[in-house]
Coordinates of all heavy atoms in Angstrom, one line a residue:
F8 N -51.0 28.4 175.4 CA -49.9 28.8 174.7 C -48.9 29.6 175.5 O -49.3 30.6 176.2 CB -50.4 29.7 173.5 CG -51.2 28.9 172.5 CD1 -52.6 29.0 172.5 CD2 -50.6 28.1 171.6 CE1 -53.3 28.3 171.6 CE2 -51.3 27.3 170.6 CZ -52.7 27.4 170.6
E9 N -47.7 29.2 175.6 CA -46.7 29.9 176.4 C -46.2 31.2 175.9 O -46.0 32.2 176.7 CB -45.5 29.0 176.6 CG -45.8 27.6 177.3 CD -45.9 27.7 178.8 OE1 -45.6 28.8 179.3 OE2 -46.4 26.8 179.4
T10 N -46.1 31.3 174.6 CA -45.6 32.6 174.0 C -46.4 32.9 172.7 O -47.2 32.1 172.2 CB -44.1 32.4 173.6 OG1 -44.1 31.4 172.5 CG2 -43.3 32.0 174.7
D11 N -46.2 34.2 172.3 CA -46.9 34.6 171.0 C -46.5 33.6 169.9 O -47.3 33.2 169.1 CB -46.4 36.0 170.6 CG -47.0 37.0 171.6 OD1 -47.8 36.7 172.5 OD2 -46.8 38.2 171.3
A12 N -45.2 33.3 169.8 CA -44.7 32.4 168.8 C -45.3 31.1 168.8 O -45.6 30.5 167.7 CB -43.2 32.3 168.9
D13 N -45.6 30.5 169.9 CA -46.2 29.2 170.0 C -47.6 29.3 169.3 O -48.0 28.4 168.6 CB -46.5 28.8 171.5 CG -45.2 28.4 172.2 OD1 -44.2 28.1 171.5 OD2 -45.2 28.4 173.4
F14 N -48.3 30.4 169.5 CA -49.6 30.6 169.0 C -49.6 30.8 167.5 O -50.3 30.1 166.7 CB -50.4 31.7 169.7 CG -51.8 31.9 169.1 CD1 -52.7 30.9 169.1 CD2 -52.1 33.1 168.4 CE1 -54.0 31.1 168.5 CE2 -53.3 33.3 167.9 CZ -54.3 32.3 167.9
Y15 N -48.9 31.9 167.0 CA -49.0 32.2 165.6 C -48.3 31.1 164.7 O -48.7 30.9 163.6 CB -48.4 33.6 165.3 CG -47.0 33.9 165.6 CD1 -45.9 33.3 164.8 CD2 -46.6 34.8 166.5 CE1 -44.6 33.6 165.0 CE2 -45.3 35.2 166.7 CZ -44.3 34.6 166.0 OH -43.0 34.9 166.2
N16 N -47.4 30.3 165.3 CA -46.9 29.2 164.5 C -47.9 28.1 164.5 O -48.1 27.4 163.4 CB -45.6 28.7 165.1 CG -44.4 29.6 164.9 OD1 -44.3 30.2 163.9 ND2 -43.5 29.6 165.8
H17 N -48.7 27.9 165.5 CA -49.7 26.9 165.6 C -50.8 27.1 164.6 O -51.3 26.2 163.9 CB -50.4 26.9 167.0 CG -51.5 25.9 167.1 ND1 -51.4 24.6 167.2 CD2 -52.9 26.2 167.2 CE1 -52.6 24.0 167.3 NE2 -53.5 25.0 167.3
I18 N -51.2 28.4 164.4 CA -52.2 28.7 163.4 C -51.7 29.1 162.0 O -52.4 29.5 161.1 CB -53.2 29.9 163.9 CG1 -52.4 31.2 164.0 CG2 -53.8 29.5 165.2 CD1 -53.3 32.4 164.3
M19 N -50.3 29.0 161.9 CA -49.6 29.2 160.6 C -49.9 30.7 160.1 O -50.1 30.9 158.9 CB -50.0 28.2 159.5 CG -49.6 26.8 159.9 SD -50.0 25.6 158.6 CE -51.7 25.3 159.1
M20 N -49.8 31.6 161.0 CA -49.9 33.0 160.7 C -48.5 33.6 160.6 O -47.7 33.4 161.5 CB -50.8 33.8 161.7 CG -50.8 35.3 161.5 SD -51.9 36.2 162.6 CE -53.5 35.9 161.9
P21 N -48.2 34.4 159.6 CA -46.9 35.0 159.5 C -46.6 35.9 160.7 O -47.5 36.6 161.2 CB -47.0 35.9 158.3 CG -48.0 35.2 157.4 CD -49.0 34.7 158.4
R22 N -45.3 35.8 161.2 CA -45.0 36.5 162.4 C -45.2 38.0 162.2 O -45.6 38.7 163.1 CB -43.5 36.3 162.7 CG -42.9 37.1 163.9 CD -41.5 36.8 164.2 NE -40.7 37.2 163.0 CZ -40.3 38.5 162.7 NH1 -40.7 39.5 163.6 NH2 -39.6 38.8 161.7
Q23 N -44.8 38.6 161.0 CA -45.0 40.0 160.8 C -46.4 40.4 160.9 O -46.7 41.6 161.3 CB -44.4 40.3 159.4 CG -42.9 40.1 159.2 CD -42.7 38.6 158.7 OE1 -43.5 37.8 158.9 NE2 -41.5 38.4 158.2
N24 N -47.3 39.6 160.5 CA -48.7 39.9 160.6 C -49.2 39.9 162.0 O -49.8 40.9 162.4 CB -49.5 38.8 159.8 CG -50.9 39.2 159.4 OD1 -51.3 40.4 159.6 ND2 -51.7 38.4 158.8
F25 N -48.9 38.9 162.8 CA -49.3 38.9 164.2 C -48.7 40.0 165.0 O -49.4 40.6 165.9 CB -48.9 37.6 164.8 CG -49.5 37.4 166.2 CD1 -50.7 36.8 166.4 CD2 -48.7 37.8 167.3 CE1 -51.2 36.7 167.7 CE2 -49.2 37.6 168.6 CZ -50.5 37.0 168.8
A26 N -47.5 40.4 164.7 CA -46.8 41.4 165.4 C -47.5 42.8 165.4 O -47.2 43.6 166.3 CB -45.3 41.6 164.9
R27 N -48.3 43.0 164.4 CA -49.0 44.3 164.3 C -49.9 44.5 165.5 O -50.3 45.7 165.8 CB -49.8 44.4 163.0 CG -49.0 44.3 161.7 CD -49.9 44.3 160.5 NE -49.2 44.2 159.3 CZ -49.7 44.0 158.1 NH1 -51.1 44.0 158.0 NH2 -49.0 43.8 157.0
I28 N -50.4 43.4 166.1 CA -51.3 43.6 167.3 C -50.6 44.3 168.4 O -51.2 45.0 169.2 CB -51.7 42.2 167.8 CG1 -52.5 41.5 166.7 CG2 -52.6 42.3 169.0 CD1 -52.9 40.1 167.1
R29 N -49.3 44.2 168.5 CA -48.6 44.8 169.6 C -48.5 46.3 169.5 O -48.2 47.1 170.4 CB -47.2 44.2 169.8 CG -47.1 42.7 170.0 CD -45.7 42.2 170.3 NE -45.6 40.8 170.2 CZ -45.1 40.2 169.2 NH1 -44.6 40.9 168.2 NH2 -45.0 38.9 169.2
D30 N -48.7 46.8 168.3 CA -48.6 48.2 168.0 C -49.8 48.9 168.5 O -51.0 48.5 168.3 CB -48.5 48.4 166.5 CG -48.1 49.8 166.1 OD1 -48.6 50.8 166.7 OD2 -47.3 50.0 165.2
K31 N -49.7 50.1 169.2 CA -50.8 50.8 169.7 C -51.8 51.2 168.6 O -53.0 51.3 168.8 CB -50.3 52.1 170.4 CG -49.7 51.9 171.7 CD -49.3 53.2 172.3 CE -48.6 53.0 173.7 NZ -48.3 54.3 174.3
R32 N -51.3 51.4 167.4 CA -52.1 51.8 166.3 C -52.9 50.6 165.7 O -54.0 50.8 165.1 CB -51.3 52.4 165.1 CG -50.6 53.7 165.5 CD -49.6 54.1 164.5 NE -48.4 53.1 164.6 CZ -47.4 53.2 163.8 NH1 -47.3 54.2 162.9 NH2 -46.4 52.3 163.9
N33 N -52.4 49.4 166.0 CA -53.1 48.1 165.6 C -53.6 48.2 164.1 O -54.8 48.5 163.9 CB -54.2 47.8 166.5 CG -55.0 46.5 166.1 OD1 -54.3 45.6 165.5 ND2 -56.2 46.4 166.3
T34 N -52.8 47.9 163.2 CA -53.2 48.0 161.8 C -53.6 46.6 161.2 O -53.7 46.4 160.0 CB -52.0 48.5 160.9 OG1 -50.9 47.6 161.1 CG2 -51.6 49.9 161.3
L35 N -53.9 45.7 162.2 CA -54.3 44.3 161.7 C -55.8 44.4 161.2 O -56.7 44.9 161.8 CB -54.3 43.4 162.9 CG -54.1 41.9 162.6 CD1 -52.8 41.7 161.8 CD2 -54.0 41.1 163.9
G36 N -55.9 43.8 160.0 CA -57.2 43.7 159.3 C -58.2 42.7 159.9 O -57.8 41.8 160.7
K37 N -59.5 42.8 159.5 CA -60.5 41.9 160.1 C -60.2 40.5 159.7 O -60.5 39.6 160.5 CB -61.9 42.3 159.5 CG -63.0 41.6 160.1 CD -64.3 42.1 159.6 CE -65.5 41.4 160.2 NZ -66.8 41.9 159.7
H38 N -59.7 40.2 158.5 CA -59.3 38.9 158.1 C -58.4 38.2 159.1 O -58.6 37.1 159.5 CB -58.6 39.0 156.7 CG -58.1 37.7 156.2 ND1 -58.9 36.7 155.7 CD2 -56.8 37.2 156.2 CE1 -58.1 35.7 155.3 NE2 -56.9 35.9 155.6
S39 N -57.4 38.9 159.5 CA -56.4 38.4 160.5 C -57.0 38.2 161.9 O -56.7 37.3 162.6 CB -55.2 39.3 160.6 OG -54.5 39.3 159.3
I40 N -57.9 39.2 162.3 CA -58.5 39.1 163.6 C -59.4 37.8 163.6 O -59.4 37.1 164.6 CB -59.4 40.3 163.9 CG1 -58.5 41.6 163.9 CG2 -60.2 40.2 165.1 CD1 -57.5 41.6 165.1
L41 N -60.2 37.6 162.6 CA -61.0 36.4 162.5 C -60.1 35.1 162.5 O -60.5 34.1 163.1 CB -61.9 36.4 161.3 CG -63.1 37.4 161.3 CD1 -63.7 37.5 160.0 CD2 -64.1 37.0 162.4
W42 N -59.0 35.2 161.8 CA -58.1 34.1 161.8 C -57.6 33.7 163.2 O -57.6 32.6 163.7 CB -56.9 34.5 161.0 CG -55.8 33.4 160.6 CD1 -55.7 32.2 161.2 CD2 -54.8 33.6 159.6 NE1 -54.6 31.5 160.6 CE2 -54.1 32.4 159.7 CE3 -54.5 34.6 158.7 CZ2 -53.0 32.1 158.8 CZ3 -53.4 34.3 157.9 CH2 -52.7 33.1 157.9
I43 N -57.3 34.7 164.0 CA -56.9 34.6 165.4 C -58.0 34.0 166.2 O -57.8 33.1 167.1 CB -56.3 35.9 166.0 CG1 -55.0 36.3 165.3 CG2 -56.2 35.8 167.5 CD1 -54.5 37.7 165.6
I44 N -59.2 34.6 166.1 CA -60.4 34.1 166.8 C -60.6 32.6 166.6 O -60.8 31.9 167.5 CB -61.6 34.9 166.4 CG1 -61.5 36.3 167.0 CG2 -62.9 34.3 166.9 CD1 -62.6 37.3 166.5
V45 N -60.6 32.2 165.3 CA -60.9 30.8 165.0 C -59.7 29.9 165.5 O -59.9 28.8 166.0 CB -61.1 30.6 163.5 CG1 -61.2 29.2 163.1 CG2 -62.3 31.4 163.0
G46 N -58.5 30.5 165.4 CA -57.3 29.7 165.9 C -57.4 29.5 167.4 O -56.9 28.4 167.9
L47 N -58.0 30.4 168.1 CA -58.1 30.3 169.6 C -59.4 29.5 169.9 O -59.6 29.2 171.1 CB -58.2 31.7 170.2 CG -56.9 32.4 170.3 CD1 -57.1 33.9 170.7 CD2 -55.9 31.8 171.3
K48 N -60.2 29.2 169.0 CA -61.5 28.4 169.2 C -62.4 29.1 170.3 O -62.9 28.5 171.2 CB -61.2 27.0 169.6 CG -60.4 26.2 168.6 CD -60.1 24.8 169.1 CE -59.2 24.0 168.2 NZ -59.0 22.6 168.6
L49 N -62.5 30.4 170.1 CA -63.3 31.2 171.1 C -64.8 31.0 170.9 O -65.2 30.6 169.8 CB -63.0 32.7 170.9 CG -61.6 33.2 171.1 CD1 -61.5 34.7 170.9 CD2 -61.0 32.8 172.4
N50 N -65.5 31.2 172.0 CA -67.0 31.1 171.9 C -67.5 32.4 171.3 O -66.7 33.3 171.1 CB -67.7 30.7 173.2 CG -67.4 31.8 174.3 OD1 -67.5 33.0 174.0 ND2 -67.2 31.4 175.5
Y51 N -68.8 32.4 171.0 CA -69.3 33.6 170.3 C -69.2 34.9 171.1 O -68.9 36.0 170.5 CB -70.8 33.4 169.9 CG -71.4 34.4 169.0 CD1 -71.0 34.5 167.7 CD2 -72.2 35.4 169.5 CE1 -71.5 35.4 166.8 CE2 -72.7 36.4 168.7 CZ -72.4 36.4 167.3 OH -72.9 37.4 166.5
Y52 N -69.4 34.8 172.4 CA -69.3 36.0 173.2 C -67.9 36.5 173.2 O -67.7 37.7 173.1 CB -69.7 35.6 174.6 CG -69.5 36.7 175.6 CD1 -70.4 37.8 175.7 CD2 -68.4 36.7 176.5 CE1 -70.2 38.8 176.6 CE2 -68.2 37.8 177.4 CZ -69.1 38.8 177.4 OH -68.9 39.8 178.3
Q53 N -66.9 35.6 173.3 CA -65.5 36.0 173.3 C -65.1 36.6 171.9 O -64.4 37.6 171.9 CB -64.6 34.8 173.6 CG -64.8 34.3 175.1 CD -64.1 33.0 175.3 OE1 -64.0 32.2 174.3 NE2 -63.7 32.7 176.5

C-alpha cells in the first residue's frame, strides 16, 4: 500500500476512524484495530 488512503479505502474503513491512529493519544478501539489486522492479513505473531 502506497498511502494510508490506499489501505483504509481497500478495507472500507472510514477515513475519520483510521486517522485516530496518527494521534499520540490513539483513541482507536479494539474493533478497529482487529479490522486493520485482518485487512493487512497479518500472521498471529504480528
